[in-house]
Amino acid sequence: MKRIIALPKITDECQKAFEKCPVNVTRTMLTGGTEITNRFLDYGLTFGDGTLSDNIREGIILRVAYNVKCPYEVLHHLPLAIKAGISEHDLEALKKAMPSDERLSAAVHYADIILSKGVSDAESFSRLTKYFSQKEIVYITLLIGHYLMSAIFINNCGVEMDRAPVEDLYK
């Protein structure tokens, strides 16, 4: 159900933002203005800087998407997760179970605790520190928050599904 009407035509002013991520979520967000959209997109695209491996990043994003029932995020990130080498077994597990990959499992468990309680417990945080540096844990935590915020926007503003996923999100 559309609640916010996406821009029907991308104006010259909006073109630069739209080119960063040419999908309906950007088109819808641009109704709020170019400044906030550019800042949001720049922040989100930062997660592709290599600090987190692609499989960890995409696995966490998918877990958030499944937890908050955001098929829009799944559409765009499932192909990236496949490209990142997440196994079929782990892709299926991300829907509701724990992946077999130890690092991904620790990150997903951490995300689950945060999404359900708002804060991680000592056990999940300790487990995370076995596999990730402090810098990576900062990124993981911010990634969870960013994609939760994205899903809230997508689901509540009624962003229309795209016909196909974006080819290369982290250019």
Side-chain angles (χ1 to χ4, degrees):
M1 164 179 55
K2 276 196 215 178
R3 293 180 174 185
I4 301 291
I5 306 301
L7 292 181
K9 181 178 186 289
I10 300 298
T11 63
D12 290 343
E13 179 188 4
C14 297
Q15 187 61 38
K16 183 178 176 185
F18 189 69
E19 286 173 358
K20 290 178 186 179
C21 190
V23 293
N24 285 334
V25 70
T26 306
R27 186 182 295 274
T28 304
M29 196 174 289
L30 280 165
T31 63
T34 56
E35 184 174 343
I36 195 166
T37 303
N38 275 313
R39 289 177 187 234
F40 181 85
L41 293 172
D42 288 344
Y43 175 66
L45 293 171
T46 300
F47 294 110
D49 73 356
T51 297
L52 294 176
S53 64
D54 293 352
N55 70 317
I56 296 297
R57 181 191 64 234
E58 296 307 320
I60 292 168
I61 293 168
L62 284 176
R63 186 55 157 236
V64 171
Y66 289 130
N67 265 288
V68 298
K69 297 172 180 51
C70 187
Y72 188 93
E73 287 181 347
V74 174
L75 170 74
H76 288 286
H77 289 277
L78 183 58
L80 296 172
I82 293 167
K83 184 177 176 183
I86 298 177
S87 71
E88 273 189 52
H89 173 269
D90 284 351
L91 288 171
E92 187 61 32
L94 285 168
K95 294 177 183 177
K96 59 186 173 310
M98 281 298 139
S100 59
D101 178 284
E102 291 283 329
R103 293 182 82 232
L104 183 55
S105 180
V108 163
H109 179 69
Y110 179 71
D112 287 348
I113 298 296
I114 289 174
L115 292 169
S116 67
K117 297 181 179 180
V119 64
S120 67
D121 56 27
E123 183 271 326
S124 64
F125 194 85
S126 176
R127 182 175 172 205
L128 204 62
T129 64
K130 292 178 184 175
Y131 300 101
F132 299 99
S133 69
Q134 288 190 347
K135 180 178 181 177
E136 290 171 316
I137 293 171
V138 168
Y139 268 62
I140 288 168
T141 306
L142 291 173
L143 181 70
I144 294 164
H146 180 75
Y147 277 89
L148 174 59
M149 180 175 56
S150 297
I152 289 169
F153 178 81
I154 291 162
N155 290 342
N156 284 282
C157 293
V159 174
E160 187 177 334
M161 287 292 279
D162 291 296
R163 291 187 180 149
V166 67
E167 288 293 319
D168 187 15
L169 186 59
Y170 302 100
K171 301 176 202 174

